[in-house]
Amino acid sequence: MIKINNENYSGEINIDSKITGYGKVQGYSWCLSSTSTTVIVEIAEDQSIDSKSLPLVGYGCGGWIYEQPLINNEKDILAIIKTAIALFSKNKMTYFPAVTCSCSDL
């Protein structure tokens, strides 16, 4: 486990067969995850959501997502998190609203 404690954000990450992590930035929860091809940073819009409850952005809640090609290098993963947080702080991260379902056709 790698602890992160910077001026604007904090958390922890794990780099194993899957990349995972979570933390807080400006009162918002963030999480780090990976697929077979991508590293993803999500930040939940709802500040009451705990970071360990993510990923939910686009499904259970609105929020911001930043994706990059998969890498397993600690230095590069920390750089991805730093870039995502910088984009979020400048309001330049991609926002995804929560998906809502309409049951009116039932």
Side-chain angles (χ1 to χ4, degrees), residues 35-75:
T35 67
S36 61
T37 60
T38 330
V39 175
I40 305 151
V41 178
E42 293 188 19
I43 302 174
E45 179 178 36
D46 183 345
Q47 291 183 322
S48 69
I49 293 175
D50 179 64
S51 60
K52 292 184 181 177
S53 298
L54 295 171
L56 292 172
V57 172
Y59 300 101
C61 69
W64 299 267
I65 296 178
Y66 180 73
E67 295 181 336
Q68 290 294 298
L70 180 65
I71 43 145
N72 286 320
N73 173 309
E74 177 183 333
K75 178 182 167 189

Side-chain angles (χ1 to χ4, degrees), residues 2 5 10 13 16 18 24 32 47 100 102 105-106:
I2 302 161
N5 194 11
S10 62
I13 62 172
D16 291 314
K18 288 205 84 151
K24 287 282 195 181
L32 175 73
Q47 291 183 322
T100 57
S102 173
D105 294 333
L106 298 177

